Amino acid sequence: MLCVLVGIVQLKHVAGGDAVFNIDQRSSTPIYLQLVQVIKEAILKGILQPGDKLPSVRELSVQLTINPNTIQKSYQELERQKVIETLRGKGTFVTMHYQPSKDEDKLNLLKENLKNLLVEAHYLGLTRDTTIHLVRQLLDELKTREENS
Amino acid sequence: MIKVEQLTKTYHTNPVLDNINLQVPRGSIFGLVGPNGAGKTTLIKLIMGILLPDQGRVYIDGVNVHQNPGIKSRVGYVSDYQNYYPNFRVQDMIRLYRETYTNWDAQRFAELAQVFKLPEGKKIKHLSKGMRAQLAILLNLSVSPAVLVLDEPTSGLDPVLRRQLLNIFLEEVARNETTIFLSTHNLNELERICDRIGIIHNGRVLFDESLEQMKQQIRKIQVAFAGEPPEGVLEQSTILKVERQGRVYTIVVRENVNQLMAELEKYRPLLLESVDMSLEDIFIYRMGGMGYGFEQIFTQ
Amino acid sequence: MGLSKFLPNKTLIWKEWLNNWAFFSIFLGLVTFATSVTLFNEITTYLDELERGIITGDYFNSYAIYRILSFSDALLGFISVLLTIILAALMVGHERDHNTFNLLLAMPYSRRDLIYNKFVLGLGQVLTIFVFNALVMTVLVWAYSSIPFPFDATAIWAWALRSIVVLSFIFAFTMFISSISGTTLGNGILSLIFLFFPMGFPALIAVHLDYWTAQSAWNLIYDSKEIGFLLTVPTYIMDNIVLGHANLPLIYGVLVLLTGILYQLTKYLFARNRLENNGEVLMFEQLEGFFKLGVAVCFALLGGPLVINIFRMQATPSFVLISNVLMGVIFWFLVNWIIKWRKVAN
């Protein structure tokens, strides 16, 4: 499990992928929150599943070269959000009945991006109807692609 | 735990440190940042009791270091250049440490010796800088330190080794709740490693807070309006800097970032987004707000 | 607290030994060669010549060893003094030159621990060298008891005691200077200057008095020379002027007391040492004025005698005066420059 988690973090780090899931010290998001996102994302994608054991603070600290107190803080935050739970003497596990709630931050970001695109569409001279049509068309396209695969 | 009280030091009438106060709680890592020659090493040598302060006190676990040097049996110290006897062999240095420190941990030493694989028969003067640093870290971690004082411990080492050493320090903190005081002029990795940081400049430690706090306090916002920007909004006291490129304004704001975002939102801007800032930028603005011109610190 | 404070620290002594065993071996070797080996050579030569009938039984010409044992071997005395100065100067200077005080003071040792253990090892080594040779020579004298030696075992041990007491003082004095000066060379040279200063300074004054007032000040010169020798401790094992006709227990007592005081002074000064001044001529800035003035005055006094000796009859009074002033001024600036140069080099 440790390997998987470290893998995700490091891979994304190297690829410079989605900023939200990257441990990026240049980001304005504090590292502990970035780590919270990484773990939630891993659960969302099924890489971590309810009941899975998480690496200890010490292991993760050394693997990621991140201050153990920061890792501790992330775990506390995740515990507060009931994403993970600590069983005394056994370790930290993903909560059995964890249901990923809609991620508000992500939704906001999506809205923001969409808005920017709409502004651009406006300046390209697209009418309201054309824009809506375009969105419908793209959604259909995605749907057929998903069915094919 | 390290506590520094009103520490003042003068070299030949030049003030080097001026009334320094700081505290590093147990199990945490404090990062001291500053350009070369700012007094980092002086502060560290004062904490270690190598130099004598003109004024002020240093406590380690509540014990005054300068009055009770015995407390240093629980303090490890790694400087950027190891002042070891050039004619000693590695095994002699090991013996010196083993016999000096009452809490020498033979098992930990054996563990680390496996990792570093130092040639025990070699003389100190024939070791490379990296080997010397590894030897210093090996020795000082084997004394079961409650406090580690590290003066640029990884400067000039290759990235792989640096990462390895940083990991060893982190493991020490996670395992034994060791307190670490670390100095560096390298901002990279700082946030990953440190709980709190301080910047030393002109003999003062300018602030002592977590990077997380700092990051959240200072933000850069990009905003664009269809017409002229609403009057007064961009002249608030929390705004440190406004730059204009065409319609787009880049604003650096200190404190109450969300409040400003909400306020700007009301004027229906064409664009409103928060942009990431580099740590360097954050430091510069953070200190600029205190009336210092600090750009030169990071542009060496 | 209590007596355990006076127990030497095994580790610090070992570390010190690892740094100076080579020099100690040279010291031991030279003294052994000059005393025990010389005595043995004399004995074998004597027995050989006796056998070949060159000499008769009651003649024993161990002149060299007799000189050493009767205060008057200037060379061995001077070499011992010089080696002791180097021994002490290196003990502190080596640490300063390699900045290893930074290492030791970051360890759980107090500044007193460092100085105390240096004294223990240094004095121990001086003791070892002379006790060893006294032992060897005693055994030789005892083994060849048929030879009519011009001295007995008591003289050998008196020599050892004299050397140990005087050299201990020299060691402590150099340690004291080393707590003020910041380099090995500075430690050695300053110690040498100050140790011979009581003899040298009156001598310089005497030359001047002699030149300007001719005969009238002769008595004064003569008296000051006596006092000068009394104050110049290294002469005690180089000459018999002081010890030859003096109250030995009193002089030894004073020397031992002075050694103790110098240890306390060294400890006191080292505890206040600003280690950041390592490598500079003087560790204490307050002493700079005195030091510069002292050097300038001494060299000014040296200027006259130099001219008098080189130019003999042509040395007119004004010429002598000018050379005094010139030397003083030159060395005042030279010392200023050296002190500044070391500071910048730091």
Side-chain angles (χ1 to χ4, degrees), chain B residues 51-67:
Chain B
L51 298 181
L52 302 171
D54 295 350
Q55 268 169 47
R57 292 158 298 280
V58 178
Y59 297 95
I60 286 180
D61 287 343
V63 178
N64 186 319
V65 173
H66 292 96
Q67 283 167 10

mmCIF file of all heavy atoms in Angstrom, chain B residues 51-67:
data_model
loop_
_atom_site.group_PDB
_atom_site.id
_atom_site.type_symbol
_atom_site.label_atom_id
_atom_site.label_comp_id
_atom_site.label_asym_id
_atom_site.label_seq_id
_atom_site.Cartn_x
_atom_site.Cartn_y
_atom_site.Cartn_z
ATOM 1 N N LEU B 51 30.857 29.443 21.030
ATOM 2 C CA LEU B 51 31.167 30.850 21.241
ATOM 3 C C LEU B 51 30.432 31.331 22.482
ATOM 4 O O LEU B 51 29.425 30.755 22.887
ATOM 5 C CB LEU B 51 30.726 31.679 20.031
ATOM 6 C CG LEU B 51 31.397 31.352 18.706
ATOM 7 C CD1 LEU B 51 30.874 32.287 17.619
ATOM 8 C CD2 LEU B 51 32.906 31.483 18.812
ATOM 9 N N LEU B 52 30.970 32.384 23.067
ATOM 10 C CA LEU B 52 30.336 32.960 24.249
ATOM 11 C C LEU B 52 29.516 34.181 23.832
ATOM 12 O O LEU B 52 30.005 35.020 23.085
ATOM 13 C CB LEU B 52 31.407 33.383 25.252
ATOM 14 C CG LEU B 52 32.348 32.268 25.711
ATOM 15 C CD1 LEU B 52 33.497 32.839 26.514
ATOM 16 C CD2 LEU B 52 31.585 31.253 26.533
ATOM 17 N N PRO B 53 28.279 34.292 24.315
ATOM 18 C CA PRO B 53 27.465 35.448 23.948
ATOM 19 C C PRO B 53 27.891 36.686 24.738
ATOM 20 O O PRO B 53 28.446 36.556 25.827
ATOM 21 C CB PRO B 53 26.051 35.018 24.343
ATOM 22 C CG PRO B 53 26.249 34.033 25.439
ATOM 23 C CD PRO B 53 27.568 33.360 25.193
ATOM 24 N N ASP B 54 27.654 37.867 24.155
ATOM 25 C CA ASP B 54 27.872 39.086 24.925
ATOM 26 C C ASP B 54 26.777 39.195 25.984
ATOM 27 O O ASP B 54 26.998 39.635 27.091
ATOM 28 C CB ASP B 54 27.821 40.311 24.004
ATOM 29 C CG ASP B 54 28.961 40.296 23.007
ATOM 30 O OD1 ASP B 54 29.862 39.460 23.173
ATOM 31 O OD2 ASP B 54 28.942 41.102 22.065
ATOM 32 N N GLN B 55 25.575 38.822 25.554
ATOM 33 C CA GLN B 55 24.432 38.842 26.457
ATOM 34 C C GLN B 55 23.498 37.709 26.082
ATOM 35 O O GLN B 55 23.517 37.249 24.950
ATOM 36 C CB GLN B 55 23.664 40.155 26.288
ATOM 37 C CG GLN B 55 24.099 41.252 27.239
ATOM 38 C CD GLN B 55 23.494 42.557 26.832
ATOM 39 O OE1 GLN B 55 22.303 42.628 26.567
ATOM 40 N NE2 GLN B 55 24.311 43.580 26.760
ATOM 41 N N GLY B 56 22.638 37.340 27.018
ATOM 42 C CA GLY B 56 21.602 36.375 26.697
ATOM 43 C C GLY B 56 21.945 34.969 27.125
ATOM 44 O O GLY B 56 23.067 34.687 27.556
ATOM 45 N N ARG B 57 20.968 34.078 26.986
ATOM 46 C CA ARG B 57 21.111 32.717 27.466
ATOM 47 C C ARG B 57 20.568 31.728 26.433
ATOM 48 O O ARG B 57 19.700 32.069 25.627
ATOM 49 C CB ARG B 57 20.326 32.540 28.763
ATOM 50 C CG ARG B 57 20.897 33.304 29.938
ATOM 51 C CD ARG B 57 19.856 33.536 31.010
ATOM 52 N NE ARG B 57 18.752 34.336 30.534
ATOM 53 C CZ ARG B 57 18.758 35.663 30.427
ATOM 54 N NH1 ARG B 57 19.831 36.339 30.778
ATOM 55 N NH2 ARG B 57 17.721 36.320 29.970
ATOM 56 N N VAL B 58 21.088 30.522 26.490
ATOM 57 C CA VAL B 58 20.588 29.434 25.653
ATOM 58 C C VAL B 58 20.248 28.261 26.562
ATOM 59 O O VAL B 58 21.067 27.879 27.398
ATOM 60 C CB VAL B 58 21.651 28.984 24.623
ATOM 61 C CG1 VAL B 58 21.132 27.817 23.810
ATOM 62 C CG2 VAL B 58 22.054 30.133 23.725
ATOM 63 N N TYR B 59 19.036 27.735 26.412
ATOM 64 C CA TYR B 59 18.645 26.590 27.218
ATOM 65 C C TYR B 59 18.365 25.402 26.314
ATOM 66 O O TYR B 59 17.720 25.549 25.275
ATOM 67 C CB TYR B 59 17.376 26.886 28.019
ATOM 68 C CG TYR B 59 17.540 28.001 29.014
ATOM 69 C CD1 TYR B 59 17.177 29.305 28.685
ATOM 70 C CD2 TYR B 59 18.057 27.756 30.279
ATOM 71 C CE1 TYR B 59 17.332 30.340 29.588
ATOM 72 C CE2 TYR B 59 18.214 28.776 31.196
ATOM 73 C CZ TYR B 59 17.852 30.072 30.846
ATOM 74 O OH TYR B 59 18.014 31.080 31.740
ATOM 75 N N ILE B 60 18.849 24.237 26.705
ATOM 76 C CA ILE B 60 18.465 23.003 26.022
ATOM 77 C C ILE B 60 17.792 22.128 27.066
ATOM 78 O O ILE B 60 18.384 21.863 28.126
ATOM 79 C CB ILE B 60 19.674 22.321 25.372
ATOM 80 C CG1 ILE B 60 20.065 23.130 24.122
ATOM 81 C CG2 ILE B 60 19.353 20.872 24.996
ATOM 82 C CD1 ILE B 60 21.227 22.618 23.364
ATOM 83 N N ASP B 61 16.562 21.746 26.787
ATOM 84 C CA ASP B 61 15.740 21.030 27.765
ATOM 85 C C ASP B 61 15.773 21.731 29.126
ATOM 86 O O ASP B 61 15.911 21.094 30.176
ATOM 87 C CB ASP B 61 16.216 19.570 27.914
ATOM 88 C CG ASP B 61 15.834 18.758 26.680
ATOM 89 O OD1 ASP B 61 14.972 19.220 25.911
ATOM 90 O OD2 ASP B 61 16.411 17.678 26.489
ATOM 91 N N GLY B 62 15.701 23.042 29.092
ATOM 92 C CA GLY B 62 15.622 23.812 30.325
ATOM 93 C C GLY B 62 16.942 24.041 31.044
ATOM 94 O O GLY B 62 16.979 24.676 32.094
ATOM 95 N N VAL B 63 18.055 23.531 30.473
ATOM 96 C CA VAL B 63 19.353 23.675 31.135
ATOM 97 C C VAL B 63 20.201 24.684 30.377
ATOM 98 O O VAL B 63 20.289 24.633 29.150
ATOM 99 C CB VAL B 63 20.088 22.310 31.182
ATOM 100 C CG1 VAL B 63 21.449 22.459 31.829
ATOM 101 C CG2 VAL B 63 19.247 21.280 31.920
ATOM 102 N N ASN B 64 20.797 25.615 31.103
ATOM 103 C CA ASN B 64 21.643 26.630 30.478
ATOM 104 C C ASN B 64 22.912 25.987 29.907
ATOM 105 O O ASN B 64 23.725 25.438 30.636
ATOM 106 C CB ASN B 64 22.007 27.686 31.527
ATOM 107 C CG ASN B 64 22.762 28.851 30.916
ATOM 108 O OD1 ASN B 64 23.635 28.667 30.070
ATOM 109 N ND2 ASN B 64 22.428 30.043 31.345
ATOM 110 N N VAL B 65 23.055 26.068 28.594
ATOM 111 C CA VAL B 65 24.149 25.376 27.897
ATOM 112 C C VAL B 65 25.519 25.903 28.315
ATOM 113 O O VAL B 65 26.465 25.140 28.493
ATOM 114 C CB VAL B 65 23.986 25.539 26.370
ATOM 115 C CG1 VAL B 65 25.186 24.986 25.644
ATOM 116 C CG2 VAL B 65 22.736 24.854 25.906
ATOM 117 N N HIS B 66 25.604 27.223 28.475
ATOM 118 C CA HIS B 66 26.917 27.801 28.763
ATOM 119 C C HIS B 66 27.361 27.521 30.196
ATOM 120 O O HIS B 66 28.548 27.498 30.476
ATOM 121 C CB HIS B 66 26.907 29.298 28.476
ATOM 122 C CG HIS B 66 26.777 29.591 27.014
ATOM 123 N ND1 HIS B 66 25.571 29.873 26.417
ATOM 124 C CD2 HIS B 66 27.687 29.600 26.016
ATOM 125 C CE1 HIS B 66 25.750 30.049 25.128
ATOM 126 N NE2 HIS B 66 27.027 29.882 24.857
ATOM 127 N N GLN B 67 26.406 27.308 31.078
ATOM 128 C CA GLN B 67 26.790 27.011 32.461
ATOM 129 C C GLN B 67 26.941 25.509 32.712
ATOM 130 O O GLN B 67 27.675 25.111 33.608
ATOM 131 C CB GLN B 67 25.763 27.606 33.423
ATOM 132 C CG GLN B 67 25.949 29.102 33.582
ATOM 133 C CD GLN B 67 24.765 29.747 34.269
ATOM 134 O OE1 GLN B 67 23.887 29.076 34.787
ATOM 135 N NE2 GLN B 67 24.749 31.066 34.241
#
